[in-house]
């Protein structure tokens, strides 16, 4: 059994998460996306990044771990359900996005290396 996280370790994890999200946003911008929202909180959950390119809206979960595989595996079924619910609420409040296609992406961050998994899952998976 591991000890409860200390205040310092939580702060360090928070800084690491913010850094990973900043890097992910930069990557998406390089790929032609505009960032519509960052750390968007809803009563149903939080979306790390909402990005748009043309008629495509991507709801992006960003995970930082020592290895890309560990980051990808950290996006659990429960997390996917929460993100999908939050995405539905986000879209319901943005009529300007009604004609856009949507997808769920994961950006795994390991150190300075980023791995983008477009269309990482579909609703109900």
């Amino acid at each position: 059994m591991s000890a409860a996280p200390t205040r310092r370790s939580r702060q360090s994890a928070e800084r690491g998460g913010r850094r990973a999200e900043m890097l992910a946003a930069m990557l998406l911008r390089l790929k032609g996306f505009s960032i519509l929202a960052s750390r968007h909180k809803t009563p149903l959950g939080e979306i790390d990044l909402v990005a748009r390119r043309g008629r495509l809206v991507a709801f992006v979960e960003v995970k930082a771990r020592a290895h890309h595989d560990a980051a990808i595996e950290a996006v659990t079924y429960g997390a996917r359900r929460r993100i999908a619910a939050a995405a539905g609420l986000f879209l319901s409040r943005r009529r300007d996005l009604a004609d856009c296609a949507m997808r769920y992406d994961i950006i795994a961050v390991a150190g300075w290396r980023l791995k983008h998994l477009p269309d990482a899952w579909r609703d109900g998976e």
Side-chain angles (χ1 to χ4, degrees):
M1 184 185 299
S2 63
T6 64
R7 181 174 179 207
R8 184 167 299 203
S9 68
R10 284 192 306 270
Q11 289 173 338
S12 178
E14 175 74 16
R15 280 192 306 275
R18 287 190 183 274
R19 177 187 160 275
E21 289 169 3
M22 178 199 65
L23 291 171
M26 288 173 46
L27 175 67
L28 290 169
R29 285 186 186 105
L30 288 171
K31 291 185 172 195
F33 284 88
S34 59
I35 305 301
L36 301 180
S38 178
R39 291 191 165 212
H40 181 77
K41 291 176 179 45
T42 76
L44 303 175
E46 180 179 322
I47 304 165
D48 290 337
L49 296 170
V50 182
R52 180 178 184 178
R53 183 175 63 198
R55 293 177 156 239
L56 171 67
V57 176
F59 295 93
V60 184
E61 180 68 2
V62 179
K63 285 293 181 189
R65 297 289 188 274
H67 303 283
H68 289 127
D69 291 341
I72 294 164
E73 290 173 10
V75 185
T76 64
Y77 177 73
R80 292 174 183 193
R81 285 185 37 172
R82 284 189 300 278
I83 295 162
L89 189 55
F90 181 89
L91 288 174
S92 74
R93 296 176 176 172
R94 293 287 306 261
R95 294 193 185 274
D96 59 313
L97 303 175
D99 64 340
C100 291
M102 65 171 279
R103 73 179 190 204
Y104 302 105
D105 292 5
I106 297 173
I107 296 181
V109 181
W112 290 99
R113 296 165 306 165
L114 282 73
K115 184 173 185 177
H116 184 193
L117 282 77
D119 206 16
W121 77 89
R122 304 278 171 120
D123 279 332
E125 289 183 357

